[in-house]
Amino acid sequence: MKILSIETSCDDTGIAVLEISKNGDFNILSNIVASQIKVHQKYGGVYPAMAKREHQKNLIPTFIKALRKSNLLKNNELKQNFDFQSLNNILEREPELYKNLVSFLKKYTKPNIDLIAVTNGPGLEPCLWVGVNFAKAISFAWNIPVVPANHIEGHILVNLLNPKPYTLNPTLFPAIALVVSGGHTQIILVKKIGSYKILGETRDDAAGECFDKCAKILGLGYPGGPIIAKMAEKVGGMSDVPPLPRPMINTKDYDFSFSGLKTAVLYADRKVDPSTRLRASYKRKMSAEVQQAIIDVLIKKTIKAVKDFKVKSLILGGGVSANQELKKQFQLEIEKNKLKVKLIYPAPNLSTDNGAMIAVAGFYHLPAGRQVKKLANWKKINANGNLRID
């Protein structure tokens, strides 16, 4: 089985092709991501209207790259005819995408794809609709079944993309999943694949959003997480940097709050002498303190959930899970507490938003027996920016 997947929940346009063998082995044939970092960099964050526009522009070029790398891109020698009026109706809110898709369909033929998986939430709704409508259009044009996929579940299940899926090992469940990114910070109890309960989440800013805002305050650029992590790598003593708060670290729940940390960084930065503020040494030390404050809270809350629910594994997902210090300190905390849990996290290129994670999520939502013919009609699939996993 070959699954074509589409991810447009925020500012990354992701297209992937995943092949699943009869014995359950996963093989990523392609996983192409078109980043919008340069578009949003000067603003220090993502603008939904601009992100939607960029998705319209990026989808077809990314689609072509993914099919070509998968060896599935072939010229339309038979010059097939399409119901372009119906396609226009599907993509009436994405005129640029419609124009690009018409050119594509006239040039290339239907690939050997069994299923389309598309992110339908959560995320920025204008961006989600671009991907959903694109999936509907190609499903209609090529008569390929389509299945919606939850973005958060994708971040969890991307950890199954190994030579043999982790699901063949039942000792990994139940598990605690920490999904932490620019838009989400959630602790989720994973009873089994498809059965989830959100234990806690951020009440305001997500951890990745806090990284971005703190980096902007410090004049470090966007996205903030990778820059702050790099600045924090070679830091000396911290004596001349004020300690930052660890919001909600001692509350008995599993919730987070990072807006106060961002405000504390702003006030601390304003008190610093202007000449000191420009020094690289100051930026490195503040970066290290910001990173450690976020890590401390994430670890304390997540390890509490691991202990409380006596799970067998701890799964990390989302862009912030690529942070090396976070993974290192999680492992040290597991060893320190002598917890018999397996720490699982994706490769760095699978931590951020990508199509492969949506493909595997789509695969695990096929009906019993993996019968794609029993899927709902593409007309019933809608985007939902506030979609929940539980």
Side-chain angles (χ1 to χ4, degrees):
M1 173 185 287
K2 291 186 180 71
I3 300 177
L4 171 73
S5 57
I6 302 160
E7 155 63 26
T8 63
S9 65
C10 190
D11 61 329
D12 285 333
T13 306
I15 303 280
V17 178
L18 181 68
E19 184 176 42
I20 302 97
S21 67
K22 290 182 179 180
N23 62 354
D25 289 347
F26 292 155
N27 181 23
I28 300 177
L29 300 183
S30 63
N31 189 29
I32 308 299
V33 177
S35 173
Q36 298 181 20
I37 286 177
K38 291 184 179 180
V39 175
H40 303 282
Q41 213 159 32
K42 60 182 177 181
Y43 304 106
V46 178
Y47 276 64
M50 294 177 65
K52 176 185 176 180
R53 182 197 66 196
E54 292 299 306
H55 283 307
Q56 288 191 62
K57 185 172 71 176
N58 293 337
L59 266 169
I60 294 300
T62 308
F63 191 37
I64 291 172
K65 288 179 182 178
L67 290 178
R68 180 176 288 124
K69 188 171 182 182
S70 305
N71 229 1
L72 296 173
L73 188 68
K74 297 180 181 179
N75 290 331
N76 187 3
E77 297 177 356
L78 298 177
K79 303 300 179 184
Q80 295 170 283
N81 294 318
F82 295 94
D83 182 354
F84 289 114
Q85 183 56 54
S86 293
L87 287 173
N88 187 40
N89 292 339
I90 296 171
L91 295 172
E92 61 180 344
R93 295 185 180 180
E94 293 84 25
E96 183 178 0
L97 179 56
Y98 169 72
K99 180 181 176 181
N100 293 339
L101 179 59
V102 168
S103 298
F104 174 88
L105 291 173
K106 288 181 178 179
K107 186 174 182 180
Y108 301 106
T109 192
K110 176 182 176 180
N112 182 24
I113 295 293
D114 301 293
L115 178 70
I116 300 167
V118 60
T119 306
N120 72 322
L124 300 177
E125 202 150 305
C127 299
L128 288 165
W129 271 114
V130 179
V132 167
N133 286 336
F134 179 59
K136 288 183 174 185
I138 57 177
S139 174
F140 170 77
W142 285 337
N143 192 29
I144 300 175
V146 60
V147 60
N150 185 294
H151 179 80
I152 299 298
E153 186 176 28
H155 275 308
I156 296 172
L157 298 187
V158 75
N159 288 282
L160 308 183
L161 289 178
N162 282 319
K164 287 187 180 294
Y166 274 120
T167 47
L168 294 180
N169 182 357
T171 62
L172 294 173
F173 297 100
I176 288 293
L178 172 67
V179 177
V180 55
S181 65
H184 307 279
T185 303
Q186 294 180 330
I187 295 177
I188 301 165
L189 175 62
V190 184
K191 301 172 185 177
K192 61 180 180 179
I193 292 178
S195 179
Y196 311 100
K197 181 181 179 181
I198 298 175
L199 302 177
E201 56 194 325
T202 183
R203 298 182 180 181
D204 39 61
D205 292 354
E209 184 181 1
C210 184
F211 271 121
D212 289 340
K213 290 179 177 177
C214 290
K216 186 176 182 179
I217 293 168
L218 298 173
L220 296 176
Y222 174 85
I227 297 173
I228 285 180
K230 187 173 182 180
M231 293 291 289
E233 282 179 0
K234 298 180 181 179
V235 63
M238 304 284 286
S239 58
D240 54 344
V241 172
L244 295 172
R246 273 61 171 165
M248 295 185 68
I249 192 168
N250 291 318
T251 59
K252 295 182 180 181
D253 53 35
Y254 307 104
D255 286 343
F256 302 94
S257 173
F258 292 106
S259 63
L261 176 58
K262 166 205 66 182
T263 304
V265 172
L266 177 62
Y267 288 157
D269 191 65
R270 284 178 178 175
K271 293 179 181 179
V272 176
D273 182 83
S275 60
T276 301
R277 192 182 296 131
L278 295 174
R279 294 175 185 168
S281 59
Y282 164 76
K283 293 178 185 291
R284 285 196 294 268
K285 291 175 182 178
M286 278 298 290
S287 294
E289 178 64 9
V290 168
Q291 177 175 261
Q292 193 58 53
I294 293 173
I295 288 176
D296 285 348
V297 177
L298 291 176
I299 289 181
K300 180 75 176 289
K301 295 276 186 171
T302 307
I303 292 298
K304 170 178 164 55
V306 168
K307 292 178 178 177
D308 289 350
F309 287 88
K310 299 178 175 59
V311 295
K312 299 175 181 178
S313 58
L314 169 57
I315 300 171
L316 304 183
V320 179
S321 71
N323 185 293
Q324 293 296 326
E325 191 63 26
L326 177 67
K327 291 182 284 192
K328 174 185 173 184
Q329 292 191 33
F330 255 121
Q331 187 59 52
L332 290 173
E333 194 68 18
I334 288 171
E335 294 171 2
K336 174 185 173 183
N337 286 273
K338 298 181 180 179
L339 299 173
K340 295 181 179 180
V341 295
K342 183 177 179 65
L343 179 63
I344 304 168
Y345 48 80
N349 67 309
L350 296 177
S351 298
T352 52
D353 295 350
N354 64 89
M357 71 185 211
I358 301 307
V360 69
F363 173 74
Y364 279 106
H365 276 278
L366 289 175
R370 311 301 181 198
Q371 298 179 32
V372 296
K373 292 181 180 180
K374 292 184 178 181
L375 295 175
N377 188 287
W378 59 265
K379 293 180 182 180
K380 297 182 180 180
I381 297 175
N382 296 300
N384 181 355
N386 297 314
L387 186 67
R388 304 281 288 180
I389 194 174
D390 58 0

